[in-house]
Amino acid sequence: LHAEDVPLDALAEVVGTPVYVYSTATLKRHYRVLREALDAHASLNGALIALAVKANSTLSVLATLAKQGCGADTVSEGEIRRALKAGVPADRIIFSGVGKTDRELAFAIDAGVRQINVESPAELDRLIAVAAAKGASPEIAIRVNPKIGAGGHAKITTGGEGDKFGVPADEAMALYARASASPHVTPVGLACHIGSQITDLAPLEAAFRLLAEMTWTLRGQGLSVTRLDLGGGLGVPYSGGARTASPADYAAMTAGVLEGLDVEAAFEPGRLLAANAGVLLS
């Protein structure tokens, strides 16, 4: 058994077991395949790809992807610190998650992350207070719950009605307007992430179309919307017969939805980049 051209038994003799072994070539190839799929479309060219750090927070994995230009999707101060230590620039780090503390929000502001994805009205109030104390105005996106749930299992479905993630679409519109009226936050866009291990593009397309419609509506109200954070969730084949949508199909669908919107897109793949890039040697 080899990882690339390295015999695994030789690695076991050198470092002992158990040990995780990751393939740089695989990580780089997966990033490149997604990068090229997105860059093939004018509306997605240069879109941010930010690894969902929860998928693999190993520093060497983060550093390998950072060297390719990959950003990081984080849900804690610890994940932000790991991404920074691995060489991910702060302006390529997104801070998501429903459990942000005031201290973590303050850390994210000081670090200068790309954007903070706000998950609730209460979180917006807390962020405004934290930012006001610092005389800051961090860029934010409102995470929308589109009432579209998808994924390989009920426990990894995050966009359905009743899920704790994000703000219902109708409430999100009013929240965006309220945020725009505050001098202590700068709303730049909308975000969503409906689940993980999604093998069918239909629910993703429905969610993206909702964000596009909301963007036009908000702009019609005189509000600026320049970014759409489309989350991750595209599935990978865990068995030989499994069929999943390809990155090329995913990019083509997304480009069709965003055509004419003139927004910066962001994607937060996790297992798509990391799932089969390593082995546990024991």
Side-chain angles (χ1 to χ4, degrees):
L1 292 175
H2 287 64
E4 300 180 27
D5 295 323
V6 180
L8 291 177
D9 56 348
L11 280 178
E13 290 173 9
V14 173
V15 301
T17 61
V19 60
Y20 284 107
V21 181
Y22 297 107
S23 166
T24 295
T26 300
L27 290 165
K28 290 167 68 174
R29 185 178 72 83
H30 287 337
Y31 179 81
R32 185 177 69 251
V33 167
L34 181 56
R35 177 80 275 159
E36 291 175 352
L38 297 175
D39 288 349
H41 303 275
S43 60
L44 301 178
N45 191 274
L48 175 66
I49 300 173
L51 173 74
V53 174
K54 63 179 178 287
N56 195 318
S57 60
T58 305
L59 284 173
S60 58
V61 169
L62 299 179
T64 296
L65 289 168
K67 290 173 184 173
Q68 308 308 305
C70 192
D73 167 48
T74 62
V75 296
S76 69
E77 178 180 334
E79 288 190 351
I80 297 173
R81 288 182 181 274
R82 290 183 79 84
L84 291 169
K85 186 173 182 179
V88 180
D91 65 2
R92 298 182 77 79
I93 296 175
I94 295 171
F95 188 25
S96 306
V98 296
K100 307 180 194 76
T101 65
D102 287 0
R103 170 181 157 167
E104 288 178 312
L105 291 171
F107 178 83
I109 293 171
D110 290 340
V113 301
R114 173 186 175 87
Q115 72 191 41
I116 298 172
N117 288 350
V118 172
E119 302 256 2
S120 69
E123 184 182 286
L124 177 63
D125 292 339
R126 290 194 297 110
L127 177 58
I128 287 173
V130 171
K134 291 180 169 293
S137 184
E139 295 186 340
I140 68 167
I142 301 296
R143 177 167 174 176
V144 178
N145 181 324
K147 298 183 181 179
I148 300 167
H153 189 279
K155 299 298 184 185
I156 54 173
T157 298
T158 55
E161 187 172 10
D163 288 333
K164 66 184 178 181
F165 300 93
V167 184
D170 51 345
E171 297 176 31
M173 305 286 278
L175 195 64
Y176 198 96
R178 180 154 71 85
S180 298
S182 170
H184 302 300
V185 289
T186 304
V188 292
L190 302 169
C192 76
H193 173 70
I194 64 172
S196 298
Q197 191 52 13
I198 300 170
T199 57
D200 176 12
L201 293 179
L204 289 166
E205 181 174 0
F208 297 172
R209 287 196 181 282
L210 175 62
L211 291 190
E213 292 167 7
M214 292 175 67
T215 298
W216 288 120
T217 301
L218 289 168
R219 287 176 175 173
Q221 296 171 2
L223 302 173
S224 173
V225 183
T226 59
R227 296 180 193 164
L228 288 183
D229 179 347
L230 301 173
L234 189 63
V236 298
Y238 278 97
S239 58
R243 292 186 60 83
T244 61
S246 70
D249 293 339
Y250 177 60
M253 175 276 289
T254 308
V257 173
L258 301 190
E259 187 67 36
L261 264 186
D262 191 24
V263 291
E264 293 178 67
F267 299 87
E268 297 161 355
R271 72 185 77 210
L272 188 68
L273 299 182
N276 72 336
V279 293
L280 170 59
L281 192 55
S282 65

